Amino acid sequence: MLQFTTPNGKYHVISHGNGWAYEITCQTTGDSLWFQDDSATQFQSDTADLTNEDVIRTYFECLI
């Protein structure tokens, strides 16, 4: 398991199984999202390896 925050520290990310699944928590609201398998791969691609906080925020806005 790998844990890190996004570049500006807005999101805390836990990577399970070397990218098999991601748990992303917004540091401001405490909301969290979970992606696994193909969804995790797509999320990683869409967010430029979990560095694009604008795209991550869009996921939160659409899914929460």
Side-chain angles (χ1 to χ4, degrees):
M1 176 171 60
L2 173 68
Q3 296 187 43
F4 60 94
T5 56
T6 53
N8 291 324
K10 181 164 173 103
Y11 301 97
H12 180 255
V13 179
I14 300 174
S15 173
H16 299 272
N18 197 26
W20 164 79
Y22 293 107
E23 180 179 357
I24 302 90
T25 303
C26 178
Q27 301 287 70
T28 305
T29 65
D31 292 334
S32 65
L33 298 174
W34 173 272
F35 298 96
Q36 71 182 56
D37 299 327
D38 291 340
S39 295
T41 301
Q42 187 64 52
F43 181 74
Q44 181 179 6
S45 174
D46 290 348
T47 60
D49 290 325
L50 302 135
T51 61
N52 188 327
E53 291 181 340
D54 292 333
V55 174
I56 295 172
R57 183 181 70 246
T58 300
Y59 268 89
F60 271 89
E61 290 170 352
C62 292
L63 297 174
I64 298 281

